[in-house]
Amino acid sequence: MRRIQVLDTRLANQIAAGEVVERPASVVKEALENALDAGADQIDIEVDAGGVQLIRVRDNGIGMARDDVPLAFARHATSKIANLEDLESVTTLGFRGEALASIASVARVTLSSNDSSDSSRGVSAQCEGREMAVTLRPVPHPRGTTLEVRDLFYNTPARRKFLRTEKTEFSHIDEVVKRQALARPDVSFTLRHNGRAVHQYRAADDASQLPRRIESICGQPFFEASVAIDRDLGGLRLCGWVGLPTYSRAQADAQYFFVNGRVIRDKLVTHAIRQAYRDVLFHGRHPAYALFLELDPAQVDVNVHPTKHEVRFRASREIHGFIFGTLNQALADVRPSDDAVSASPYLATSFATPIPQQAGIGLGFPGAERAWQIQGSGDAGAHAKALAQLYANPGRDVTNARAVAQASSDAADAEVPPMGFALAQLAGIYILAENASGLVLVDMHAAHERITYERLKQARDDRGIRSQPLLVPQSVGLSSREVAAVEEHSEALQQLGFQVAVSGEEAVVIREVPQALANANLDELLRHVLGDLIDLGSSDRVAAQEDALLATMACHTSVRANRRLTVQEMNGLLRDMEVTERSGQCNHGRPTWVALSVSDLDKLFLRGR
Ligand code: ADP
Ligand code: MG
């Protein structure tokens, strides 16, 4: 072995760069963070060849004092914190003082800045050699800072090999800019690639313009198929937009979560959100959301990872509960209301990306597509047939139902409920109803299943989780960490219906279990519950498994397709839907109803053109 020696500055920085600078997008991320920390409200990003050749980020922030410019390249040199207390409640995006040093060690970097309004007083800095000596020269530069990074990884060929195609690298940059732009609607961003303008996000003047930024980044379909939330509770605030279950995605790619303006990926957060969607999302689909969590900076540790993508919450259990509770309520409230059933944006878009991939009926009329893309089951032929049947045989229940609808609506002061009154049953599967704005179609089996399921859950919640003693207590081998969790969380376990006693360093005995799950694989259930308690401070496994059981029960007790319903029964179902939480989706996340307003129908028949 060789003797110990101190590494030269560049090499030391290159080692640090291994963590901080993974690809061009990492450089853009660090540069944007610095610009935002400097208070910029206009940031221009220019990249060539996916950022490998050139990345230039120019901001109009406060700039740097002349003497500070060389220091910016030194590792562990920062203007953002000065002591440990600062670190514990840091409000800036940066604080580690290593980004510029790392970037400058693996690329040709020029940093130009000016902290005065006299643009002739700018300076520009470059650093060279193994010790990264900084040379300064005067340049004209307006107030603010420009970071220019050329030939990324020119001196670290191993790293360069890991770069992907220009297109891929640019897409990462684009994503970084989008995320930062979402977090800061008060700042203008422009992005150019190979001399072409790609994005221009204009600053919003006030908070009411935030929706516009969301819409331009996440897309109109997401925006229209999402519900806005904003909840404040004991120093925590969660606001933003969550996609309706019917606007779900095949990939987890439309998920944006910010903690105090910082883009983060966090297991606890993801878990809380998934749990909120558990009951309404089609199997294997991912929810879409843009959510902003704000809390006292001292309550969250941001110094967990060099890229600052991860955080650690001090009160993780409360945060988990708060996020879950807020979203769960927001999604539960999605049910037919007057607004929803008549406002066409909800209707048109909640099914704009139905699941599984929709097959439009394609009647061949211009403008017809949108109205008919709303069918979820994807069987175009059957729908067409169903339609043909309806029009070939319009008599049936219709007259009768109209009369009933008429009578009841007269009684209720001509007030038509959101889901309207039943007209007829179609193909033994669908209920056709008329409301104030037009036609409502209901998948009666799916709707009934949801209603039954929600009732079963409600009954369970009212009486709590019941436990049942095991005839023969079961001993389970666990890791010492899991055994410690059994002791620490004994109360939580009891609330979940378990009674577990520690019987050795790596063994416990289960004495009581949740009643409904007495036949489950108890070993595995307990291990999963403990895993949750260790990771998240709480567990929803028992409820989730019970829910699954209740869902199966609901499925078997619900009206089956092909049973003829009386008009009264149909109206009863419609009324139940109006008051049942989550009634917009069946237990498997498929939509339970769609609506076609008279104007949708007019379009379909080319009326009024
Ligand atoms: P950090 O952001 O963690 O402090 P950096 O290496 O990213 O570390 O930057 C070092 C210092 O350089 C910052 O603390 C800041 O004072 C200064 N700096 C970097 N970029 C800018 C900028 N765009 N505007 C003003 N100051 C900047
Ligand atoms: Mg920084």
Side-chain angles (χ1 to χ4, degrees), residues 537-565:
S538 65
S539 177
D540 65 315
R541 298 274 172 182
V542 173
Q545 290 215 8
E546 277 202 355
D547 281 1
L549 211 77
L550 298 180
T552 314
M553 280 161 61
C555 186
H556 288 290
T557 51
S558 296
V559 276
R560 286 274 152 210
N562 292 320
R563 177 154 109 56
R564 285 251 147 244
L565 296 186

Side-chain angles (χ1 to χ4, degrees), residues 30 34 80 94 99:
E30 295 294 339
N34 282 342
K80 298 170 192 176

Side-chain angles (χ1 to χ4, degrees), residues 155-167:
N155 55 358
T156 50
R159 254 293 149 96
R160 215 185 156 99
K161 268 194 226 129
F162 281 101
L163 290 176
R164 311 293 290 276
T165 62
E166 174 174 329
K167 212 172 131 206

Side-chain angles (χ1 to χ4, degrees), residues 19 26 60 73 77 110 144 231 234 250 347 357 360 394 442 445 488 494 497 528:
E19 288 178 306
S26 333
N60 66 349
F73 288 111
T110 310
R231 184 163 171 236
L347 299 173
Q357 211 47 75
V442 174
H445 178 234
E488 188 188 339
Q494 240 159 46
H528 284 155

Side-chain angles (χ1 to χ4, degrees), residues 149 255 354 396 400 486 568 570 580:
V149 178
Q255 306 186 333
R396 281 215 311 248
N400 189 8
V486 167
Q568 230 163 8
M570 290 192 271
T580 301

Side-chain angles (χ1 to χ4, degrees), residues 107 112 144 221 251 273 298 305 361 406 430 434-435 481 492-493 564:
S112 315
Q251 275 102 35
I273 298 175
H305 192 269
I361 273 190
Q406 200 57 50
Y430 300 107
E434 180 177 357
N435 72 1
R481 186 156 177 245
L493 284 170
R564 285 251 147 244

Side-chain angles (χ1 to χ4, degrees), residues 467-476 498-499 509-514 517-520 522:
S467 58
Q468 170 185 328
L470 290 177
L471 284 179
V472 184
Q474 185 176 333
S475 48
V476 180
F498 284 102
Q499 219 214 354
V509 178
I510 309 182
R511 297 226 161 86
E512 287 184 21
V513 295
L517 302 176
N519 296 323
L522 293 176

Side-chain angles (χ1 to χ4, degrees), residues 79 81 107 135 151 162 261 335 343 372 394 463 472-473 495 509 516-517 524 548 550 562 565 602:
S79 56
I81 59 168
T135 49
D151 302 328
F162 281 101
R335 65 189 124 180
W372 286 104
R463 58 168 170 68
V472 184
Q495 277 164 14
V509 178
L517 302 176
E524 196 182 82
L550 298 180
N562 292 320
L565 296 186
D602 286 347

